[in-house]
Amino acid sequence: MCGLRFCEPRGRAADFGGPEVRTTEDLARALLAASGKGKRLVSVPVPVPGRIGRGYATGANLAPNHADGVVTFEQYLAEQGKPTALRYR
């Protein structure tokens, strides 16, 4: 996957998925648990309109038949050290 980043465009890359299929809410709960702050999560459904939204709703963005990733989200958080200081890069 990292090799694709530095290559010239080659068309469609092979599907690649993580070891688990998770919801956004579940990932947010895992992040809160890893932070150790014990904060509550209020879940508010946000519909995504159009074809993209329908694709997400049916799981078309997932690759469960290509679960090639081996690091779970909890493992990733543990490797980061201080989950409350995580920032998007």
Side-chain angles (χ1 to χ4, degrees), residues 13 15 28 34 41-42 45 51 60 62-64 73 76-77 80 82 88:
D15 289 339
L41 177 71
V42 177
R51 288 176 55 194
L62 304 175
F73 189 57
Y76 165 78
L77 291 174
Q80 301 311 303
K82 192 174 178 189
Y88 288 104

Side-chain angles (χ1 to χ4, degrees), residues 6-66:
F6 301 108
C7 296
E8 292 295 319
R10 297 183 190 179
R12 189 175 188 285
D15 289 339
F16 180 88
E20 304 170 307
V21 173
R22 308 275 295 268
T23 64
T24 305
E25 180 181 351
D26 188 39
L27 294 173
R29 289 188 190 286
L31 181 59
L32 282 175
S35 74
K37 295 203 176 225
K39 294 189 177 200
R40 266 184 62 204
L41 177 71
V42 177
S43 179
V44 179
V46 179
V48 179
R51 288 176 55 194
I52 297 288
R54 286 190 298 277
Y56 287 157
T58 62
N61 59 311
L62 304 175
N65 295 333
H66 295 278

